[in-house]
Amino acid sequence: MRKYQTSNLFEQDIEETPCRYVIRVAFESAADTEFDYAVPDQIWPVDVGQRVEAPFGRNNKLHIGFCVDIDKSRPDPSAPLRSAQDDNKRYKLKKITKIIDKEPLVDAELMELARWISNYYVCPLGQVLAAIVPSAVKRGAGVKTQTYAYLTIKAADIDKTIHELRGKKQKLIVSFLQEQKALNKDSAIELQGLLKTADCGKEPVKRLTEKRIVKISQKTILKSLPAIPNEMALKPPERIVLNRDQQKTLDSIKEKIDSGRFGVTLLYGVTDSGKTELYIRAIKAVLKKGKSAIVLLPEIALTAQTVQRFSERFEKIAVMHSGLTAAQRNVQWQKIKSSQADVVIGARSAVFAPLANLGLIVVDEEHESSYKQDTAPRYHGRDVAIKRAQLADAHCILGSATPSLETLANCQSKKHFNLLRLPQRVMNLPMPEMKLVDMRQSNITQKGINLISEPLAERLKVTLERKEQAILLLNRRGYSNFVFCPSCRYTLRCRNCDVTLTFHRSNIPRRDRMSTITGRHMHSGYAICHYCLAQTLVPEKCPLCGKGFAMIGLGSQRLEEELAKKFPTARVSRIDSDSMAGKDYYRMLRDFGQGRIDILAGTQMLAKGLHFPNVTLVGIISADTCLYLPDFRANERTFQLISQVAGRTGRSTKKGIVFVQTFLPEQQAIAYALKGDFDGFIKEELKHRKSCNLPPYWRLAAVTMRDMNFEKLEAACKQMRQKIDRIVAREKLKVNIRGPMPAAINRIQRFHRMQIIIQAPEAATIQRLFTGLRAEPPVRPAVKVVIDIDPVNLL
Ligand code: ADP
Ligand code: ZN
């Protein structure tokens, strides 16, 4: 067993010990490179994936980083031991001071995945590794360290030793340990308990260790496993016999699993078509082969119900989501790491679960944009899942009722992608009634608009009287704005596309409004076509009637106020995923499930939580809010939202009704969704994406830069653009570059934000561009730069 010593101890020792080994370390906090360090022989060996402590930077402050590589060329095993001084002269390397982990936290496969993420998503390796291992694990949350004493002498010598010892307490301690050894084969006794039984202080033990009769060691033990909160109890499952579609699909998936080769299956089936049942069966097939599986779900879908459904079917299961305490998370992770779990169910980051021998990854609701992480590393959970499956020669199942265009396109163009369909709902539940409300008919004033239309308010009243419950969905972001003339109802539209333009409130100070980029006066601000990315200036007055425009903002706070005014006695709660911690959120869902809340208002993510039998009314406050976001995926999202709600309600005997409020009733996404015509929608949408060089045909990357000083920001952006242009010319890359231009939200807090958007026909082209950019010195003047590859929105 290796001994771990404190860094203080080492500082003396290191000067004398030779340092024949060299490792490469990636720090979380440091720049986009890794650093070489010498390892004193005394603490060797170090493994890739272990964390080490090392002096870093000019002041040699001790930092913790991951060992990411070992220089195999040194030392030469046949070479004589050199002295540390020789080594230092030769390598001039700083030295590791400590090894933190007993075992690597990241195995070879995950290390390879981390490197891929670092390359693909343009993120320093140290930051990727930091994200791969939960902080609860690194902190050792819920872990107790216990100190043990044990005998180091041979059994035959014990009696003699006891006889020779002079101290009474020393004799006593050795005999206790001997008894323990007779009972347990292992003499180790927990130190505090031992001292108590022997009724003495530490002194006698210390003596014994000096005489090398007793040794002290530390063991870390996890606190007893805290149970996962079990919120909504479910009945035990009845025996399910697969229907024909399901059986055919399962056979096909099993065949892939049996092949032992990497492949991806898109399981495209409406809600309640029995996809989850198939995931479970596929996992069973994988476990039978002695392999393990990961199931990824969007955070919101990880309700106790879902967790329980899997727990009922698998014995060794671990759960990872934000509703767990740090200690629980660590326990779950350790359980996985020590192979006590072979099925992991969790949110996005569970894709990094340290499972060995992975056979299957399931990504449910694969189209969900919440799989994209919006802080560095900005990875997409689905795409990382596919990569991990590839590295492990595992199979990957992507499930959705409304698959992403990316995945559909992959099924057409890539041979290891395979599309399977489940066209029918298992139990033929009735679809809920869908009601379209044309919001243009409602009262609009210069101040804004009522978020709850007359018909919806009417129905809410009835629902409350019947003691039933309602869910109101509002778009996640509160700042979606669009320009609307209250008197003549004119809206600004794109000259290229038949869509309403999004207004970007101009918070740039007046003196800055004469943009150095466009050289034009910005009037009241920019409007951007989220669809083709064209921008226009917004006139101050309506061109038709000459009156002032109204800016319509739809925020969740406004909704809450309106509800309080109209339904003062109703119990209303708001779930706001931006501001809410996981635990609160689970609690609120539970309260709602138990009838302590009448109206639950929240983001569209709630659409996935609609398993509540007493919910008979769902209102989509504005089906088109996402249509006003500067986001070319807006149509896709709108379609997904409406069909999701349609699929989720009507799960009980009480008939459900859905109100879809919209300003754009003629919008194709809305019309297709109300008809439930996904294929029709996809056909239209793909045509458009192709003509605009947008994903899934072309790839995107967004470089967003921010600073408090607008001039400085513009200068840095210009320099960034020049750098990009130089690399593009040098490497002869085929790309479209737009910008720098103000980002959709052009000011956050006091930071101005600008964007450069890169479009390329191949992911590899974008990779080459950023590899080039990473090799260059940073832009001057220095401003904050965020690089987002395959962005899910362009805010
Ligand atoms: P999805 O994941 O596509 O929404 P699920 O697998 O959750 O569908 O199935 C919906 C419901 O139907 C679940 O309650 C499930 O237990 C049940 N179910 C699935 N397959 C069958 C089947 N073949 N026969 C009866 N019930 C089934
Ligand atoms: Zn347009």
Side-chain angles (χ1 to χ4, degrees):
M1 206 219 235
R2 191 162 58 234
K3 246 174 54 189
Y4 295 96
Q5 303 182 9
T6 64
S7 51
N8 295 346
L9 251 179
F10 266 110
E11 265 153 31
Q12 307 156 2
D13 291 345
I14 280 168
E15 292 311 314
E16 296 145 26
T17 37
C19 295
R20 293 177 301 154
Y21 300 87
V22 174
I23 63 171
R24 185 154 292 180
V25 179
F27 295 100
E28 178 176 0
S29 47
D32 194 7
T33 46
E34 292 121 46
F35 300 86
D36 283 351
Y37 280 88
V39 185
D41 282 14
Q42 197 175 346
I43 56 173
W44 183 260
V46 185
D47 260 339
V48 169
Q50 271 176 320
R51 284 173 309 155
V52 296
E53 183 192 74
F56 181 74
R58 222 169 294 161
N59 55 9
N60 279 330
K61 217 176 133 207
L62 292 177
H63 281 244
I64 292 177
F66 278 88
C67 168
V68 294
D69 207 357
I70 293 170
D71 187 341
K72 300 223 173 49
S73 66
R74 290 175 282 190
D76 175 357
S78 60
L81 267 177
R82 289 184 302 267
S83 79
Q85 268 171 340
D86 291 347
D87 270 337
N88 294 342
K89 249 183 258 152
R90 233 177 109 184
Y91 302 132
K92 285 233 170 69
L93 290 177
K94 293 183 190 175
K95 281 172 252 167
I96 297 293
T97 51
K98 194 158 121 188
I99 301 168
I100 308 278
D101 309 305
K102 290 202 174 120
E103 306 277 333
L105 297 182
V106 175
D107 66 11
E109 193 183 293
L110 279 175
M111 187 59 80
E112 201 177 340
L113 188 66
R115 284 190 191 282
W116 178 80
I117 292 171
S118 169
N119 273 328
Y120 186 85
Y121 291 104
V122 192
C123 180
L125 184 58
Q127 267 182 39
V128 176
L129 288 167
I132 279 184
V133 183
S135 58
V137 173
K138 284 178 283 195
R139 274 191 287 129
V143 169
K144 268 196 304 207
T145 312
Q146 281 191 336
T147 311
Y148 285 82
Y150 60 97
L151 290 174
T152 51
I153 47 175
K154 280 191 232 123
D157 296 337
I158 294 176
D159 287 337
K160 195 172 142 240
T161 311
I162 294 178
H163 186 74
E164 282 168 9
L165 280 168
R166 252 183 267 146
K168 233 164 114 190
K169 294 293 180 189
Q170 291 182 37
K171 279 179 195 279
L172 198 58
I173 285 167
V174 175
S175 56
F176 278 149
L177 291 172
Q178 183 193 18
E179 274 169 37
Q180 176 76 5
K181 190 162 190 166
L183 285 173
N184 271 347
K185 289 217 164 101
D186 180 2
S187 65
I189 297 182
E190 197 269 316
L191 186 63
Q192 288 306 324
L194 179 68
L195 298 181
K196 218 167 166 190
T197 333
D199 191 24
C200 64
K202 279 185 183 160
E203 199 54 30
V205 176
K206 204 172 153 215
R207 288 275 145 72
L208 288 167
T209 55
E210 281 159 14
K211 291 178 194 152
R212 298 182 195 256
I213 297 169
V214 167
K215 259 201 165 166
I216 298 291
S217 80
Q218 296 204 317
K219 273 193 207 167
T220 52
I221 49 166
L222 282 171
K223 284 190 196 147
S224 64
L225 206 118
I228 305 295
N230 194 353
E231 278 146 13
M232 291 165 257
L234 211 74
K235 281 178 249 123
E238 297 121 51
R239 277 207 68 75
I240 290 175
V241 182
L242 297 186
N243 63 35
R244 266 189 53 204
D245 284 332
Q246 282 175 310
Q247 191 59 53
K248 239 174 59 196
T249 310
L250 181 64
D251 290 344
S252 169
I253 291 173
K254 272 186 170 163
E255 215 173 277
K256 300 271 185 274
I257 289 170
D258 284 337
S259 79
R261 273 186 314 236
F262 162 65
V264 183
T265 296
L266 168 60
L267 191 52
Y268 165 26
V270 294
T271 314
D272 281 335
S273 57
K275 296 188 294 294
T276 309
E277 189 55 39
L278 289 190
Y279 304 154
I280 291 172
R281 309 262 173 142
I283 296 169
K284 289 219 179 271
V286 163
L287 296 186
K288 234 188 202 157
K289 297 175 102 50
K291 295 190 177 176
S292 59
I294 297 175
V295 182
L296 299 184
L297 292 156
E299 187 79 59
I300 177 76
L302 266 169
T303 55
Q305 280 172 317
T306 323
V307 172
Q308 181 143 355
R309 190 162 166 200
F310 280 86
S311 318
E312 276 168 359
R313 308 286 284 275
F314 300 104
E315 231 175 300
K316 293 161 65 185
I317 188 163
V319 183
M320 298 191 97
H321 62 74
S322 66
L324 304 181
T325 64
Q328 285 173 325
R329 217 166 303 162
N330 191 15
V331 168
Q332 297 294 319
W333 193 90
Q334 303 292 349
K335 211 169 134 184
I336 301 165
K337 185 81 178 162
S338 58
S339 304
Q340 291 172 63
D342 48 21
V343 179
V344 176
I345 167 166
R348 178 179 60 221
S349 64
V351 73
F352 303 125
L355 276 173
N357 212 0
L358 192 63
L360 177 68
I361 307 183
V362 175
V363 184
D364 193 26
E365 313 279 3
E366 66 87 25
H367 61 274
E368 261 302 323
S369 58
S370 63
Y371 278 121
K372 186 84 184 336
Q373 172 144 306
D374 56 9
T375 53
R378 294 180 161 71
Y379 68 92
H380 197 299
R382 174 198 60 215
D383 298 338
V384 171
I386 294 171
K387 187 68 199 179
R388 183 161 182 197
Q390 189 191 6
L391 292 175
D393 290 323
H395 195 66
C396 184
I397 300 177
L398 309 178
S400 176
T402 52
S404 64
L405 298 187
E406 282 77 3
T407 300
L408 287 168
N410 280 336
C411 287
Q412 282 173 5
S413 65
K414 295 195 173 142
K415 66 174 188 307
H416 52 268
F417 273 72
N418 179 35
L419 169 66
L420 298 175
R421 281 183 177 228
L422 286 179
Q424 238 113 69
R425 285 180 126 186
V426 176
M427 288 179 295
N428 255 329
L429 291 165
M431 290 302 248
E433 192 185 341
M434 306 285 286
K435 272 220 150 73
L436 195 78
V437 182
D438 185 348
M439 293 295 273
R440 288 173 307 186
Q441 310 302 321
S442 53
N443 273 333
I444 301 167
T445 61
Q446 193 75 37
K447 266 214 222 107
I449 184 173
N450 279 333
L451 293 181
I452 300 170
S453 65
E454 285 289 311
L456 178 56
E458 204 61 27
R459 185 66 187 216
L460 256 176
K461 209 172 121 217
V462 174
T463 307
L464 293 171
E465 278 165 9
R466 286 190 194 153
K467 304 260 175 269
E468 293 171 351
Q469 290 168 298
I471 288 181
L472 299 179
L473 302 175
L474 197 63
N475 197 60
R476 174 159 48 136
R477 313 269 176 181
Y479 38 71
S480 44
N481 294 308
F482 68 104
V483 192
F484 193 85
C485 172
S487 44
C488 75
R489 319 248 141 155
Y490 173 82
T491 53
L492 274 188
R493 289 181 164 257
C494 176
R495 33 192 155 78
N496 308 325
C497 319
D498 190 25
V499 297
T500 311
L501 295 179
T502 312
F503 180 67
H504 298 183
R505 199 189 300 280
S506 181
N507 290 323
I508 299 170
R510 213 154 242 297
R511 65 180 165 85
D512 288 335
R513 284 208 188 166
M514 189 68 80
S515 168
T516 51
I517 291 167
T518 60
R520 277 186 294 176
H521 200 264
M522 286 168 73
H523 294 256
S524 52
Y526 271 106
I528 192 164
C529 171
H530 60 78
Y531 219 45
C532 69
L533 309 181
Q535 6 166 11
T536 354
L537 297 171
V538 179
E540 305 252 351
K541 300 248 146 49
C542 171
L544 286 191
C545 68
K547 300 228 174 76
F549 273 127
M551 238 64 76
I552 299 194
L554 306 162
S556 48
Q557 220 168 330
R558 284 256 342 262
L559 177 64
E560 219 177 5
E561 286 162 19
E562 205 174 309
L563 282 171
K565 214 163 66 200
K566 286 188 175 151
F567 304 96
T569 57
R571 294 164 300 175
V572 180
S573 286
R574 175 162 64 108
I575 285 194
D576 193 335
S577 66
D578 291 345
S579 62
M580 192 168 272
K583 260 181 289 178
D584 296 340
Y585 176 84
Y586 286 90
R587 181 175 42 77
M588 211 175 266
L589 280 185
R590 186 187 53 211
D591 285 352
F592 189 59
Q594 293 172 350
R596 284 197 288 272
I597 296 171
D598 300 314
I599 302 174
L600 190 61
T603 71
Q604 60 201 49
M605 292 297 289
L606 262 185
K608 266 174 272 316
L610 307 179
H611 304 271
F612 305 99
N614 200 34
V615 172
T616 54
L617 170 62
V618 176
I620 303 179
I621 296 301
S622 175
D624 35 61
T625 26
C626 40
L627 290 177
Y628 302 113
L629 288 174
D631 188 341
F632 64 91
R633 287 197 178 85
N635 279 348
E636 199 182 345
R637 300 248 165 84
T638 304
F639 185 93
Q640 286 163 356
L641 170 67
I642 297 173
S643 26
Q644 193 134 46
V645 173
R648 277 298 178 194
T649 40
R651 279 205 151 195
S652 68
T653 42
K654 290 179 191 160
K655 198 157 162 39
I657 184 162
V658 178
F659 281 81
V660 182
Q661 302 192 142
T662 175
F663 282 96
L664 307 165
E666 76 286 1
Q667 243 296 323
Q668 285 193 346
I670 294 175
Y672 277 119
L674 283 176
K675 276 191 291 182
D677 182 3
F678 185 62
D679 296 338
F681 168 71
I682 287 294
K683 229 172 117 194
E684 282 291 320
E685 186 65 16
L686 283 177
K687 228 179 346 187
H688 168 78
R689 300 276 184 93
K690 194 161 205 167
S691 70
C692 291
N693 291 343
L694 287 169
Y697 297 101
W698 281 40
R699 296 298 190 104
L700 283 189
V703 180
T704 308
M705 302 169 70
R706 65 172 194 270
D707 200 86
M708 292 213 198
N709 181 319
F710 189 71
E711 279 90 25
K712 190 176 149 202
L713 177 63
E714 273 197 322
C717 287
K718 266 190 185 161
Q719 216 209 49
M720 177 66 88
R721 170 76 202 235
Q722 284 163 2
K723 272 183 201 287
I724 291 174
D725 286 344
R726 267 203 309 274
I727 296 165
V728 167
R730 189 180 71 209
E731 309 260 327
K732 300 195 177 60
L733 301 178
K734 184 182 174 195
V735 288
N736 280 351
I737 303 166
R738 298 169 187 275
M741 57 188 166
I745 312 162
N746 63 34
R747 206 161 172 224
I748 290 182
Q749 284 158 347
R750 278 149 62 219
F751 284 89
H752 298 280
R753 302 168 80 244
M754 296 191 94
Q755 240 170 18
I756 298 174
I757 292 170
I758 296 143
Q759 292 169 286
E762 313 269 350
T765 313
I766 291 190
Q767 287 312 295
R768 277 172 65 191
L769 173 59
F770 283 101
T771 305
L773 211 54
R774 276 170 116 162
E776 299 239 335
V779 291
R780 296 268 169 256
V783 301
K784 285 255 181 321
V785 179
V786 165
I787 292 165
D788 194 356
I789 306 291
D790 301 334
V792 293
N793 57 46
L794 294 174
L795 298 174

